Amino acid sequence: MPLTENTTLAVLLHRNVRGLRPSATLAINERSNALRRQGRDIYKLGLGQSPFPVPPTVVEALKANAHQKDYLPVKGLPELREAVAGYHRRIHGIEREGEDVLIGPGSKELIFLLQLVFEAALALPSPSWVTYAPQAEILGKPFYWLPTSAEEAWRLQPETLDRLGRQHPGTSFFILLNYPCNPTGQTYSPDQLQALAEVARRYGMVMLSDEIYGELDHEAAHISMASFYPEGAIVTAGLSKWCGAGGWRLGTALFPPSLHHLLDATAAVASETFTAVSAPIQYAAVRAFEGGPAIDRYLHQSRRILRALGRHCARRLQEAGATVDLPEGAFYLFPDLTPLAESLRGRGITSSEDLCERLLEDTGVAMLPGTAFGRAPEEFTVRLAYVNFDGEQALAAASETPDALPLSQDFLKAHCGRTVEAIERMCAWLHGS
Ligand SMILES: Cc1ncc(COP(=O)(O)O)c(C=O)c1O
């Protein structure tokens, strides 16, 4: 029968994507925008996007390369692959070459393709970033949540990894570790990384170390997992967070020579899907990864602002009764409001989703429930991204404030006012007003 405009097609969704909804972070952003259109004053602490502009020198490089129009090699522009390897050598002391690097349209896509090409079960700490588990679901892959606790700042413990290895002998594992961590803002010390690497090595587990926030370690002290597990860690990173360029869609993956077959297989899938990242963006990214004094100053001020603001927000939430650690990197907090459970239940709130819904309704503060990160529905955890301020203005003001002085509360009120205000609203609401 010929198809006409009125023919109803019986279109079945693939079983792996039935019930799949847009990522929780994007959904809260759309919901916040819809409420704003209705005239509500919304504090957007839902979406984790860098508040800072792309450094001017990198923007200039993009302008200068607007004419680049050819398809680039699937694995990435050779100069960029060299620049990324050079960056990892310079910043992390990891001996890698351009041939160890793969460029993709965001590290999210690279992580997805890696999950696709590697015949292994995924294991990830709970809480973890919203995307890893749905990616495994889309691919129909098994995945295991590894428990962590608020008392241990939600960090994966070596004993937990060891238990996984012992309980599943003969299973190949892809262990996802992300630090500084989205959603917790915590990082790992060298000893902790060393201990995790030893367990992974014992069981032949491959680590996918998502270090997209590495440059946003608040003390500039990030150390790559590849330093501890050089033969078994793939490190993903990119421009999105430290360079304020999420919308540019450029991610990187750094492979050890022992895992080049995974790099080649990922590139083969890339060649049949996205082909290559946009040429002007790749040329401009060379400038970003080469670094230099202007980028160092930009990063220094970015970290300084995030550190002061993150600590301020965490302290205020602690005073309001939440269990939350002072952040060490990135721009997230993951407060646990279990100490206030009785009062929350008294207000008819029984899950983290209720909690976020009511907070948004009553105060206009948008954040994400712990469930989006793999936590149990009845646990009162939420993730907030303390980035709803004008980063360009804050950077300019911070560079006028002598380095010897910490950024004061007055600075935060003046330049990150919307975030400070959102936290005050949340604290007042927790106290029942
Ligand atoms: C932990 C984590 N990994 C990866 C990404 C993806 O970054 P990209 O923009 O490189 O795809 C994000 C973005 O929010 C993230 O939070």
Side-chain angles (χ1 to χ4, degrees):
M1 192 179 69
L3 291 180
T4 69
E5 273 180 28
N6 297 327
T7 314
T8 307
L9 295 177
V11 180
L12 263 190
L13 290 178
H14 189 282
R15 63 181 175 286
N16 292 355
V17 300
R18 274 176 225 155
L20 190 74
R21 288 180 299 165
S23 141
T25 6
L26 301 180
I28 188 78
N29 199 38
E30 280 167 23
R31 176 100 206 282
S32 306
N33 288 340
L35 286 170
R36 261 190 189 166
R37 280 194 295 274
Q38 290 166 21
R40 291 282 310 273
D41 188 18
I42 300 298
Y43 297 81
K44 287 166 77 168
L45 304 190
L47 181 72
Q49 167 159 279
S50 166
F52 303 115
V54 179
T57 152
V58 183
V59 173
E60 286 311 315
L62 181 59
K63 286 184 189 161
N65 282 287
H67 65 284
Q68 303 284 359
K69 63 167 199 48
D70 291 340
Y71 288 117
L72 293 180
V74 173
K75 289 180 182 172
L77 176 71
E79 296 93 297
L80 177 58
R81 295 175 75 201
E82 286 300 334
V84 171
Y87 161 87
H88 282 288
R89 282 197 301 270
R90 192 175 71 245
I91 306 282
H92 301 131
I94 313 165
E95 280 312 315
R96 292 280 183 266
E97 305 299 330
E99 66 188 26
D100 302 316
V101 173
L102 181 63
I103 305 297
S107 59
K108 185 189 255 189
E109 182 67 16
L110 289 173
I111 294 168
F112 180 70
L113 294 189
L114 275 164
Q115 291 211 56
L116 185 148
V117 302
F118 184 23
E119 183 72 53
L122 175 72
L124 70 173
S126 157
S128 274
W129 180 44
V130 287
T131 285
Y132 310 126
Q135 286 189 344
E137 275 173 337
I138 292 169
L139 294 167
K141 287 170 79 86
F143 62 95
Y144 297 80
W145 285 111
L146 302 171
T148 70
S149 67
E151 292 68 42
E152 284 158 341
W154 312 107
R155 286 193 195 98
L156 177 61
Q157 301 300 307
E159 299 74 32
T160 311
L161 199 55
D162 186 67
R163 203 173 319 121
L164 180 79
R166 267 188 288 115
Q167 285 174 350
H168 301 275
T171 303
S172 281
F173 277 109
F174 209 6
I175 308 297
L176 236 158
L177 196 71
N178 161 231
Y179 69 99
C181 176
N182 173 6
T184 67
Q186 299 298 305
T187 191
Y188 288 82
S189 70
D191 286 352
Q192 289 163 338
L193 293 172
Q194 176 71 41
L196 288 170
E198 276 168 22
V199 180
R201 184 174 290 124
R202 188 177 316 141
Y203 293 101
M205 297 162 165
V206 175
M207 283 233 176
L208 202 170
S209 193
D210 178 347
E211 302 182 22
I212 189 99
Y213 296 99
E215 286 285 16
L216 294 183
D217 180 296
H218 294 173
E219 307 292 344
H222 182 77
I223 302 183
S224 176
M225 182 43 115
S227 306
F228 301 97
Y229 194 26
E231 73 281 26
I234 300 169
V235 178
T236 54
L239 291 185
S240 298
K241 307 300 173 178
W242 70 265
C243 195
W248 287 24
R249 309 309 301 129
L250 187 129
T252 62
L254 186 73
F255 292 74
S258 51
L259 295 177
H260 267 203
H261 56 298
L262 282 182
L263 189 164
D264 292 338
T266 310
V269 180
S271 76
E272 302 292 8
T273 51
F274 62 77
T275 305
V277 173
S278 147
I281 297 290
Q282 292 207 49
Y283 281 95
V286 174
R287 183 74 206 78
F289 284 105
E290 279 171 353
I295 290 185
D296 286 348
R297 279 195 301 277
Y298 164 91
L299 276 171
H300 171 73
Q301 298 302 355
S302 305
R303 293 181 190 120
R304 198 171 167 219
I305 295 165
L306 293 176
R307 179 175 188 274
L309 183 59
R311 291 168 81 91
H312 169 81
C313 296
R315 287 207 181 94
R316 289 294 298 126
L317 288 165
Q318 284 170 348
E319 283 159 18
T323 303
V324 60
D325 292 287
L326 298 187
E328 300 171 326
F331 32 66
Y332 304 105
L333 296 176
F334 195 67
D336 182 359
L337 302 173
T338 303
L340 305 172
E342 212 177 293
S343 125
L344 292 172
R345 287 199 199 96
R347 294 156 87 173
I349 295 167
T350 58
S351 67
S352 62
E353 291 183 10
D354 287 352
L355 178 60
C356 287
E357 193 56 44
R358 282 284 295 278
L359 255 172
L360 183 57
E361 263 314 301
D362 295 351
T363 66
V365 179
M367 49 185 70
L368 288 174
T371 46
F373 303 88
R375 302 303 299 175
E378 64 281 4
E379 180 185 271
F380 291 123
T381 44
V382 292
R383 188 207 74 175
L384 59 93
Y386 48 91
V387 287
N388 64 329
F389 59 91
D390 180 340
E392 189 161 6
Q393 198 216 6
L395 276 182
S399 49
E400 305 278 293
T401 312
D403 260 350
L405 298 177
L407 297 177
S408 66
Q409 294 213 6
D410 287 342
F411 177 96
L412 298 177
K413 278 188 195 145
H415 304 290
C416 312
R418 291 285 292 173
T419 315
V420 171
E421 223 174 285
I423 296 296
E424 289 313 311
R425 281 188 169 224
M426 181 175 172
C427 291
W429 183 87
L430 288 173
H431 281 298
S433 52

